[in-house]
Amino acid sequence: MTASHSDSLVVLFGATAGAYGAKLGSDERELILLVWQVVDLHSKKVGTLHKSLVKADNLDLSDQCREVSGLTPEGLSKAEPLDRVLQQFSQLVSSDLKVLGRNSYTLCSDGQLLIRQVLHPETSKKNFLLSDCFYSFYDLRKEFHACYPSSAAVKDQTIKTMAEYLGLGTDETEEDFGVWQVKTMVAIIFSMLSESCNHVFTEPETVKYKYETGPCSKSETVDSETVIRARGLPWQSSDQDIARFFKGLNIAKGGVALCLNAQGRRNGEALVRFVNSEQRDLALERHKHHMGSRYIEVYKATGEEFLKIAGGTSNEVAQFLSKENQVIIRMRGLPFTATQEDVLGFLGPECPVTGGKEGLLFVKYPDGRPTGDAFVLFSCEEYAQNALKKHKEILGKRYIELFRSTAAEVQQVLNRYMSTPLIPTLPTPIIPVIPPPYTIATGSIRDCVRLRGLPYTAGIDDILEFMGDATADIKPHGVHMVLNQQGRPSGDAFIQMKSADKAFMVAQKCHKKMMKDRYVEVFQCSGEEMNFVLMGGTLNRSGLSPPPCLSPPAYAAFQTAAVIPAEAALYQPQALLPATRTAQASAAAPPTVTYYPAQAAQLYMNYTAYYPSPPVSPTTVGYLAAPPGAVAAAAAATATHTPILPQPGALLRMQGLPYNTGVKEILSFFQGYQYAPDDYNGLIQLSDQARSVLQAPKEWVCL
């Protein structure tokens, strides 16, 4: 048993099969050793010193572990597994307490790592619970510094430095590994309890039993030293899954914010806020630890980023989320005419909603129209599980999707829809600032290579080092880092070589060669294939698969000089970007038809296309509003073209189409309705450059 003011300490020391000291637990290696001893704080007596080996699932010991501990795989193979060792720990501690005449205790360890970074994460992965005593402990380093303020900083303390500060004459080589550490820690504690110091152990460190959900207001102040970004999460992971990944560390209430993409779906990232910077620093040590079979990247983030995702200003949302410790379920695809009674009837009596109608929150546009989304509160996990069993059941004539959700996701979805501007009030489109003399080449000559699977931290220098001697055969300004629509590296790059032979040699030599801790795939390709890939097609050693958004007749016609955001594609390219083609090339180019939206009917579209960074300089990408002069010049250049919107309401946008939808399927869908004749190729009159961006997966624009 434990108490807030325990009359005994259990001095605990442990080691893993991997790193030792300040990096303990950072490599996810399993516990292989536990040593402990009970200390009576009043009588200053000690119990029996116990040492127990732990059988790990992986008995491959690191060189540092072998050297420091002297343990061998053969010796560990005969030990008990961790769950049995922890049972023995509880039994032996209880026995020692009875001998000393005490009934309560608190753990005392050398720092935070053994408890927070080893025991809690490992037991969580192995799906068994730790006893209550592991949720409260004293950090000997902090207690020592509080007792001796003139000693070294807490982060610089070790058992050896604390012993040397007190002048304790102990020889580490005379005792077994772990035994010396525990005996020395006990001697340090007795020195702190002496009459000259009279130290009292009163404020133990605590580990939260579970993650607490809750709302976050944009008016809150969030310390940037407490926030991290986790990347690479499974798309179905919930806030509880993320809290479990960081088991042992104290996450702030409502401190998990799952990030959504432009389509409102989870993008595999989350921002996590911890209670203090110390917990955040421990979280950073879990970089590339695993959640199931996936490794998770952990980086520093800022308080502003967290508030942008998790913060909200709506009183309705705040009231909805004010009910604490509720399980939130998101419903998607509701009929627009669905009422609260319809939703409650759909869920049924087996999963009662907290507060009835008050536990429902419909998501609406600023003008009050429903979006088809809603959030529902349940008081316990059982009711939530019953609700999730209704995933894709029918309400009215539509099937309904149900997912676990979080308070931060509620805020994001509401913020996104409530702040969505109407089409006439959208900001001026943007164009990319790209150095004018260089464009990505097109054509069928296979003088390019594609690098796939690059580390997200890789830069130009890393790529040049990866290619080795072949860098001499790269064309000037021929390295193109591919960024995603958030402006971050996508893991792809294209390299323009001096000839097809050079590209072939590089692909053969560098394919699956390691860069940092990842292997990189290298494929030979042409400039035309490069543009297909940038638009969502696939390229591997089996050949090229064009983007699913293009209908088969359009494959051969798909050629672009560069891929730019959809907003910029709405304007005549020559009016916005300096011309780089020769007169001969321009003469051979097919004529283009470009749509120029009216002032009151500007078209704004989400786009999913990847676009290349400026050659060799991904950090120089910038965006600026299209100048009025450029728009006017573009309009004058195409005054002979018929506008695509002859009157309001002529433009229709379709979302949620199957990825393999073609022109014939869409025309069949609108059978019986009058649509614009003479436009069967792409359903919208745009230049090739604009068409390549606007024909994105799952989204068509038609008349």
Side-chain angles (χ1 to χ4, degrees):
M1 296 188 300
T2 61
S4 58
H5 297 286
S6 302
D7 46 27
S8 301
L9 296 180
V10 176
V11 178
L12 184 66
F13 177 82
T16 69
Y20 175 71
K23 288 296 182 179
L24 183 70
S26 63
D27 52 6
E28 282 189 289
R29 298 304 301 272
E30 297 171 276
L31 191 73
I32 59 171
L33 174 68
L34 272 182
V35 186
W36 68 91
Q37 187 173 31
V38 177
V39 177
D40 188 334
L41 295 176
H42 299 288
S43 66
K44 299 182 182 178
K45 294 180 180 179
V46 296
T48 305
L49 190 147
H50 301 277
K51 178 178 179 180
S52 182
L53 299 180
V54 182
K55 183 180 180 180
D57 295 336
N58 181 6
L59 294 176
D60 182 22
L61 307 182
S62 69
D63 293 338
Q64 184 186 26
C65 176
R66 290 173 183 267
E67 179 182 352
V68 174
S69 68
L71 299 175
T72 63
E74 293 75 18
L76 293 173
S77 63
K78 302 175 183 178
E80 297 285 352
L82 180 58
D83 56 343
R84 294 288 301 277
V85 171
L86 292 177
Q87 290 177 8
Q88 295 173 7
F89 169 84
S90 297
Q91 294 169 0
L92 292 171
V93 168
S94 297
S95 177
D96 289 342
L97 286 174
K98 286 183 179 179
V99 172
L100 294 172
R102 301 300 176 184
N103 56 19
S104 66
Y105 68 92
T106 303
L107 298 179
C108 180
S109 65
D110 172 35
Q112 309 259 330
L113 302 183
L114 176 61
I115 306 293
R116 295 190 185 276
Q117 298 287 68
V118 178
L119 280 168
H120 278 282
E122 184 173 341
T123 55
S124 177
K125 289 179 181 178
K126 294 182 176 180
N127 292 314
F128 61 87
L129 298 175
L130 284 171
S131 60
D132 291 347
C133 68
F134 290 97
Y135 288 85
S136 178
F137 67 97
Y138 288 107
D139 182 345
L140 183 58
R141 299 184 185 188
K142 290 185 177 180
E143 298 294 329
F144 184 85
H145 188 72
C147 185
Y148 303 100
S150 60
S151 61
V154 173
K155 63 183 180 64
D156 298 325
Q157 297 278 17
T158 64
I159 296 176
K160 188 174 182 179
T161 59
M162 289 188 287
E164 290 175 349
Y165 182 87
L166 296 174
L168 300 178
T170 58
D171 187 355
E172 187 173 356
T173 60
E174 291 181 357
E175 304 283 357
D176 290 340
F177 179 71
V179 174
W180 176 86
Q181 282 82 355
V182 170
K183 286 185 175 180
T184 305
M185 290 169 69
V186 171
I188 293 171
I189 291 172
F190 283 156
S191 296
M192 296 167 61
L193 295 174
S194 64
E195 293 182 359
S196 59
C197 297
N198 200 24
H199 183 73
V200 180
F201 292 84
T202 56
E203 297 182 6
E205 301 286 318
T206 58
V207 179
K208 287 189 175 182
Y209 282 88
K210 65 177 183 178
Y211 167 67
E212 298 177 273
T213 61
C216 176
S217 171
K218 284 188 179 294
S219 61
E220 288 187 34
T221 300
V222 178
D223 185 1
S224 294
E225 296 300 314
T226 64
V227 183
I228 61 94
R229 179 183 294 274
R231 182 179 298 169
L233 299 165
W235 68 269
Q236 72 273 30
S237 59
S238 66
D239 55 349
Q240 297 296 337
D241 295 321
I242 295 171
R244 185 176 181 182
F245 176 79
F246 289 109
K247 184 69 174 176
L249 305 180
N250 294 339
I251 299 175
K253 183 178 179 179
V256 177
L258 295 165
C259 302
L260 306 180
N261 61 18
Q263 287 74 41
R265 302 179 185 272
R266 296 172 187 172
N267 64 3
E269 295 188 5
L271 293 170
V272 185
R273 176 188 179 190
F274 294 90
V275 295
N276 55 44
S277 60
E278 180 184 33
Q279 303 290 304
R280 193 283 302 268
D281 292 341
L282 292 175
L284 292 172
E285 292 296 326
R286 299 196 188 183
H287 179 59
K288 294 198 173 178
H289 282 205
H290 288 77
M291 180 184 289
S293 60
R294 299 175 65 106
Y295 73 81
I296 308 302
E297 300 175 14
V298 182
Y299 303 101
K300 291 181 180 180
T302 65
E304 289 77 8
E305 290 176 302
F306 182 83
L307 287 176
K308 183 178 180 181
I309 297 298
T313 56
S314 170
N315 292 331
E316 182 183 13
V317 176
Q319 184 178 358
F320 176 76
L321 297 175
S322 62
K323 303 177 181 66
E324 298 183 358
N325 299 321
Q326 300 290 310
V327 183
I328 306 175
I329 298 296
R330 179 180 180 183
M331 302 180 70
R332 191 165 62 197
L334 292 169
F336 294 141
T337 57
T339 63
Q340 293 177 326
E341 290 78 8
D342 295 332
V343 174
L344 293 175
F346 172 81
L347 294 171
E350 63 272 20
C351 38
V353 177
T354 301
K357 295 181 180 180
E358 293 182 359
L360 294 176
L361 178 65
F362 286 92
V363 183
K364 299 179 180 180
Y365 289 107
D367 58 3
R369 291 180 297 115
T371 65
D373 280 28
F375 293 94
V376 189
L377 295 179
F378 296 99
S379 60
C380 66
E381 187 66 29
E382 179 185 357
Y383 295 158
Q385 288 291 346
N386 291 338
L388 290 173
K389 292 177 183 177
K390 297 181 179 291
H391 180 60
K392 292 197 174 181
E393 288 190 7
I394 302 299
L395 174 60
K397 295 183 179 180
R398 305 191 63 173
Y399 72 83
I400 309 302
E401 298 175 292
L402 290 93
F403 309 95
R404 286 184 175 276
S405 188
T406 67
E409 186 172 2
V410 176
Q411 298 281 23
Q412 281 186 85
V413 173
L414 267 294
N415 290 343
R416 184 184 304 276
Y417 282 111
M418 294 304 293
S419 62
T420 301
L422 300 177
I423 288 179
T425 62
L426 287 171
T428 305
I430 54 176
I431 61 173
V433 181
I434 300 179
Y438 313 110
T439 58
I440 295 181
T442 59
S444 59
I445 300 176
R446 299 174 63 82
D447 57 352
C448 303
V449 291
R450 177 190 182 191
L451 276 58
R452 186 173 69 184
L454 295 168
Y456 292 124
T457 57
I460 299 296
D461 293 338
D462 298 309
I463 293 177
L464 298 180
E465 181 180 354
F466 171 81
M467 296 186 65
D469 297 338
T471 55
D473 300 318
I474 300 176
K475 287 184 178 181
H477 301 278
V479 180
H480 305 274
M481 299 286 290
V482 181
L483 309 179
N484 62 22
Q485 61 191 57
Q486 283 79 38
R488 302 191 185 97
S490 67
D492 280 22
F494 285 97
I495 315 295
Q496 293 176 263
M497 308 301 293
K498 292 182 178 179
S499 67
D501 292 338
K502 300 296 185 183
F504 175 79
M505 293 300 294
V506 170
Q508 294 295 317
K509 179 180 178 182
C510 297
H511 184 58
K512 292 196 174 181
K513 180 179 172 183
M514 298 299 293
M515 178 186 294
K516 298 184 178 180
D517 56 350
R518 301 185 65 170
Y519 74 82
V520 178
E521 298 175 290
V522 183
F523 306 107
Q524 185 182 10
C525 66
S526 65
E528 180 181 7
E529 292 169 335
M530 184 190 311
N531 284 294
F532 272 110
V533 172
L534 292 174
M535 281 306 302
T538 59
L539 173 66
N540 51 40
R541 291 184 176 266
S542 300
L544 175 69
S545 298
C549 57
L550 299 181
S551 55
Y555 291 162
F558 179 75
Q559 293 185 6
T560 61
V563 183
I564 61 176
E567 296 89 339
L570 298 177
Y571 300 100
Q572 184 73 15
Q574 291 82 355
L576 302 180
L577 300 176
T580 58
R581 298 181 180 178
T582 61
Q584 183 178 1
S586 299
T592 61
V593 178
T594 308
Y595 162 56
Y596 303 100
Q599 182 85 21
Q602 293 183 355
L603 177 65
Y604 186 87
M605 299 184 60
N606 294 327
Y607 62 95
T608 58
Y610 284 72
Y611 55 92
S613 69
V616 197
S617 182
T619 59
T620 60
V621 172
Y623 293 99
L624 50 88
V631 178
T638 58
T640 58
H641 294 300
T642 302
I644 212 166
L645 289 181
Q647 68 274 342
L651 188 66
L652 178 66
R653 175 178 176 179
M654 301 178 68
Q655 288 183 297
L657 294 171
Y659 285 109
N660 57 354
T661 301
V663 176
K664 292 182 179 179
E665 287 80 5
I666 295 179
L667 296 180
S668 176
F669 179 81
F670 285 106
Q671 186 174 4
Y673 293 89
Q674 183 178 2
Y675 48 83
D678 306 324
D679 190 15
Y680 299 92
N681 184 31
L683 298 181
I684 186 167
Q685 292 181 338
L686 295 170
S687 67
D688 289 342
Q689 194 171 33
R691 187 189 309 280
S692 67
V693 177
L694 293 179
Q695 288 179 331
K698 293 198 73 176
E699 187 168 306
W700 287 77
V701 177
C702 57
L703 291 172

